[in-house]
């Protein structure tokens, strides 16, 4: 009886949300003149074509066929916009950023997962949180994180050497592992698994002052690592369910009542996501309580922790104690930052690193040239790890990172919703279906807008005819004049990879530094080659590699050997 009642509540909520959706979005004649592809279906519009692991060709077709702005179809025939025109992006992300906010579905679903963190707040709350976090990601703090990065990366580097030189069989007895050494030689390793573990430990120690993983071959993975890696695939199983359910559910009753509803909904995937969230939250509480006690005990206790008190959360909590009342974050806010930053910094970085290793295996000449640059830099450092100033200024390493993040951004697009009627200007006019030139578009309130990071970063009108090629050398010469004069709103190298404006990626310098430390350490004396299995990149929320196009379990086997 209870299950039937709850199912009735759920479907009533779906019906209510659907009615409001149709009422507010279906009749948008003002956008009917914008060219765009036909809907895949009336119910889901073009969303299934745009949001699936094999959506690359559809996104390419949108860019090639319609240019910097086109109309796509949303749920129940609603009109939506697909944008990569530079001027339009500037208005969406910078000039009118407080009109083009995150979608209700994004805010609701992520707030239920991560709490009131920087990614799930709007308006004044978001600005207040960002004001507290911005100083934490300063260059001065990045310098202090380099030794922590090297300490963590050395563990994986050592493990790669061990795996390369041994043939393993495991006998578990009182948690001991006996390893039989054999002749050395190349070994196949799942690089994605190691990059994910490494990225989590990097954000753990340098971001949270917490260790998740010993980073040894047979270490038992922390429940947080397993849970965070499972979240995106679990949500992807029923994307439409979560898009429809979360905004409605988040507005019903108290947190306890919403938990009661979730516990009794007859959907297995909802319970899977619930259990994942529980692990993420419990770990965040453990980290927060530990930091709070150390801060109360004084600097000596803080310095004795992982991260030595120089991690992001320790610095944030210390600054928060001295902040004025209006700027001060609540305990709930800080918990939200712990959950948001740890998750966001793991999968995106591991995706970018894995893609870079794959590209280096495809382009051995680039890998060899990078290795030479790194070896020369280490010699200048007297054989020690390359310091911050030299590391960030190595030209070829920097070019490889920029080019990878340009052509293969870990996140392909973002979504925004117009909170009120507004006019969107274009840098390059488009031709309407009636044959007239359109230089600005009246955008009705409630319109969803897809901002294509992928299409912007690959735009041949700005980057030249070779924009679809991976060419690190392009960053060693002056960039094309059309790109410079386009005034892209991105915060990083004329790219939209880290977006721009008030919701730009706050940790983009942190991410770049991670990539450079890991690449410098791994490529110096390890060679990365392709395995027999073809690597297929899937356009999930965060781009992931796989060997099976239909699998939801990411993997990227590669052959690793000692470099000459």
């Amino acid at each position: 009886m209870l299950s039937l009642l709850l199912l009735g509540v759920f479907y009533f909520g779906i019906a209510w949300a659907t009615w409001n959706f149709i009422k507010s979005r279906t009749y948008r004649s003002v956008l009917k003149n914008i060219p765009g592809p036909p809907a895949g279906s009336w119910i889901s519009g073009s969303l299934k074509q745009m949001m699936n692991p094999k959506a690359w060709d559809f996104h390419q077709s949108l860019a090639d066929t319609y240019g910097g702005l086109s109309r796509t179809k949303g749920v129940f025939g609603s009109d939506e916009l697909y944008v990569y025109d530079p001027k339009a992006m500037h208005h969406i992300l910078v000039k009118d950023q407080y009109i083009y906010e995150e979608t209700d579905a994004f805010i609701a679903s992520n707030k239920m997962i991560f709490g009131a963190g920087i990614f799930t707040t709007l308006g004044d709350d978001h600005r207040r949180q960002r004001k507290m976090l911005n100083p934490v990601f300063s260059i001065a703090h990045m310098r202090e994180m380099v030794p922590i990065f090297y300490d963590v990366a050395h563990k994986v580097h050592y493990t790669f050497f061990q795996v390369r030189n041994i043939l393993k069989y495991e006998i578990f007895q009182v948690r001991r592992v006996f390893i039989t050494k054999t002749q050395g030689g190349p070994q196949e390793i799942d690089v994605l698994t190691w990059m994910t573990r490494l990225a989590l430990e990097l954000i753990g120690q340098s971001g949270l002052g917490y260790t998740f993983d010993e980073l040894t071959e047979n270490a038992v993975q922390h429940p947080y690592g397993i849970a965070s890696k499972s979240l995106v695939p679990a949500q992807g199983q029923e994307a439409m369910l979560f898009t429809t359910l979360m905004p409605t559910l988040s507005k019903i009753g108290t947190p306890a009542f919403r938990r009661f509803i979730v516990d009794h909904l007859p959907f297995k995937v909802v319970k899977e996501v619930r259990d994942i969230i529980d692990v993420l939250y419990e770990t965040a509480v453990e980290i927060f309580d530990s930091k709070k006690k150390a801060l109360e005990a004084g600097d000596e206790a803080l310095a004795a922790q992982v991260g030595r008190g120089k991690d992001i959360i320790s610095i944030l909590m210390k600054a928060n104690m001295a902040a004025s009342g209006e700027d001060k974050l609540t305990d709930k806010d800080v918990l939200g930052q712990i959950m948001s930053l740890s998750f966001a910094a793991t999968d995106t970085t591991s995706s970018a690193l894995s893609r870079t290793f794959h590209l280096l295996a495809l382009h051995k000449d680039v890998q060899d040239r990078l290795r030479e640059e790194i070896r020369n830099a280490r010699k200048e450092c007297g054989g020690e790890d390359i310091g911050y100033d030299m590391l960030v200024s190595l030209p070829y390493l920097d070019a490889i990172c920029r080019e990878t993040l340009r052509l293969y951004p870990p996140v392909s697009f973002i979504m925004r919703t117009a909170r009120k009627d507004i006019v969107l200007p274009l840098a390059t006019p488009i031709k309407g279906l009636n044959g007239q030139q359109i230089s600005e578009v009246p955008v009705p309130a409630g319109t969803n807008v897809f901002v294509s990071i992928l299409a912007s970063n690959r735009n041949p009108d700005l980057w030249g005819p070779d924009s679809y090629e991976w060419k690190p050398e392009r960053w060693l010469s002056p960039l094309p004049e059309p790109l410079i004069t386009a005034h892209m709103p991105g915060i990083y190298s004329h790219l939209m990879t880290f977006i721009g404006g008030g919701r730009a990626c706050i940790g983009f310098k942190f991410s770049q530094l991670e990539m450079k430390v890991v690449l410098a350490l791994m490529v110096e004396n390890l060679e990365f080659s392709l395995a027999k299995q073809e690597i297929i990149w899937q356009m999930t929320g965060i781009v992931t590699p796989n060997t099976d196009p239909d699998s939801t379990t990411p993997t990227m086997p590669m052959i690793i050997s000692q470099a000459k």
Side-chain angles (χ1 to χ4, degrees), residues 11-21 247-248 251:
Y11 284 119
F12 174 79
I14 295 295
W16 178 82
T18 300
W19 165 245
N20 280 278
F21 198 91
T248 303
K251 298 173 183 176

Side-chain angles (χ1 to χ4, degrees), residues 213-231:
D213 196 334
E214 295 176 4
L215 294 176
T216 56
E217 181 68 13
N218 300 305
V220 177
Q221 289 193 53
H222 193 285
Y224 183 98
I226 298 170
S228 64
K229 191 164 58 176
S230 305
L231 180 59

Side-chain angles (χ1 to χ4, degrees), residues 103-123:
T103 65
D104 290 340
F106 177 90
I107 292 295
S109 60
N110 283 283
K111 186 169 285 187
M112 293 184 73
I113 295 170
F114 303 116
I118 191 169
F119 306 126
T120 60
T121 50
L122 299 173

Side-chain angles (χ1 to χ4, degrees), residues 247-438:
T248 303
L249 185 58
S250 67
K251 298 173 183 176
I252 300 175
T254 64
F257 178 75
R258 292 194 290 269
R259 176 62 184 236
F260 176 79
I261 295 292
V262 168
D263 287 345
H264 291 87
L265 282 174
F267 300 104
K268 181 181 177 183
V269 67
V270 172
K271 291 180 172 59
E272 288 177 3
V273 172
R274 174 203 63 193
D275 294 341
I276 290 170
I277 295 170
D278 285 346
V279 172
L280 301 183
Y281 179 76
E282 289 163 6
T283 306
V285 170
E286 179 187 342
I287 293 169
F288 176 76
D289 287 345
S290 172
K291 290 294 167 198
K292 196 170 183 179
K293 289 177 183 176
L295 281 165
E296 290 170 351
D299 290 343
E300 189 174 331
L302 200 60
Q305 288 196 324
V306 173
R308 300 182 288 277
K310 296 178 180 179
D311 57 275
I312 290 169
I313 295 300
S314 292
I315 296 168
L316 172 65
M317 291 177 69
K318 200 169 183 179
N320 195 45
M321 292 170 65
S324 63
E326 62 181 18
D327 293 332
K328 193 180 289 290
L329 303 180
T330 65
D331 287 357
K332 187 178 178 181
D333 291 336
V334 177
L335 273 173
Q337 311 314 329
I338 292 173
M339 294 184 69
S340 299
L341 294 173
S342 57
F343 180 82
T346 300
D347 282 0
T348 51
T349 301
S350 63
S351 174
L353 281 167
S354 297
R355 176 74 82 163
T356 307
F357 284 122
H358 185 217
L359 289 164
L360 292 174
L362 288 167
H363 302 271
K364 286 296 186 72
D365 57 328
V366 176
Q367 187 177 163
D368 291 341
R369 180 175 171 181
L370 174 62
R371 185 174 295 113
E372 182 180 5
E373 180 181 72
I374 293 166
R375 286 175 172 175
N376 289 337
R378 185 181 281 275
K379 286 179 184 176
E380 288 188 43
C381 296
E384 299 295 323
D385 289 330
I386 304 169
Y388 175 87
D389 291 312
M390 180 176 288
L391 184 68
V392 298
S393 62
L394 291 177
Y396 205 54
L397 174 60
D398 187 62
I400 288 170
C401 291
R402 289 175 192 261
E403 183 68 350
T404 301
L405 292 170
R406 180 193 73 84
L407 192 60
Y408 302 109
V411 177
S412 302
F413 61 87
I414 58 172
M415 287 183 68
R416 294 290 186 265
T417 294
R419 299 291 175 177
K420 65 179 184 180
D421 294 348
I422 191 169
V423 174
L424 182 64
L426 303 176
T428 304
I430 62 171
K431 183 180 288 188
L433 293 176
N434 62 4
Q436 295 180 350
Q437 291 286 315
I438 300 172

